[in-house]
Amino acid sequence: MRDILDTPAERDLPPGEAARMRADLMTSIRRPRPRRRTAVRLGIATVATAAAVVAGVAMVPNDEQVRHLAMGSGELSPTLHQSMEQCLKWNAQHERLPVSIDDLAVAAEQDHRAVALFMTKTGYFTCNVTRPPHEEATGGTSGERVWPQRDWLPGSIQRLLLMSSEVDGGDVAVTGRVSARVHRLVLEHGDGRTTTARLVNGVFGLLTEGANVTRDAELVSYDTTGAEIDRRLLFRSSHEFDHCYVDSSGTVVYGEPGADCRPAEPWGR
C-alpha cells in the first residue's frame, strides 16, 4: 500500500504541471519556518496551546491571515470550500477514488494552501492545493481505492497525515484515526506545552499555532477514566511499529509477523 505521505505519481497531477506541482507538494511537507507566517501541515483539532475547542471552524488570526480547521464538510470556510472543490475536480479527472464533499473527514487552510483527507467505506483520498491570488491552482493527490487496513488500527491510534513548518518540528497539523477506547488525545510538544486534539467520529485532528513542537513530541491517548492508553512519537514513520498487530482472525494487518504480536483494534466511521 502506498504511504499517504508518498509523493503522487506524475499521472495523478494536473496535466502540464507535474514537475512544478511535485516540487510544490514536497516543499509543503518540509518547508523552513518563515519569520512571521507559519506553513500549516494538515491537521484537525484544537488551535493553540491549551486552547478550548469550539464547535465549528477553528479560526486564529496570524498577522493578516486566518487559519481554518474543519472536521467535515459542514465546517468549511468559503475559501477552504473552493479548495475542496479543486481536490474533487482533480480526483474526478484521475479517477483516484469516488468521493464527494460529504466524504471529507478533515481539512485545514493557511494562507493560500489547503490540505484535506477524504474517507469512504473502502479507501481514502488526500489532496494538497495551493491557490495564490490570480494564479492557477497547483497541488497533488494521493490515496487508495481499496484500503485493506481500513477496519483495523495498530493499537488505539493511527496517524494518517502529518505536516510541519520545520523539519521534525515547529507548528504542526496532524490527522488520524482513534479507536472507541480513546476519550482524549493530547500532543505533548516536547517543551512542556501541550495541544489537545479534536475527536469526531473516530477521526482526530490537531493544529498548533505559534508552537515549537520538537522531534521528541508525543501523541498521548487517554480513556474515559483519564488513564493513559497509548504514547507514541509524533515524528516516527507511520510504517514503523514496535509490535505487529493482528486482526480477530489472527492475520497480521500491521508490522512484520513475529512473536510479539498484539491485537489490532477495530475502527468504524
Side-chain angles (χ1 to χ4, degrees), residues 193-210:
R193 303 171 69 190
T194 63
T195 297
T196 302
R198 185 174 170 197
L199 308 177
V200 178
N201 298 325
V203 177
F204 79 83
L206 65 85
L207 186 65
T208 67
E209 171 76 17

Side-chain angles (χ1 to χ4, degrees), residues 2 7 13 29 46 76 98 112 120 128 134 143 190 200 205 215 228 230 232-233 239-240 253 259:
R2 175 185 292 173
T7 308
L13 298 173
I29 296 175
T46 60
L76 295 174
H112 309 301
T120 71
N128 169 280
H134 313 299
V200 178
R215 64 183 306 163
E228 182 176 312
D230 182 89
R232 61 185 65 187
L233 289 171
H239 282 192
E240 292 182 19
V253 288

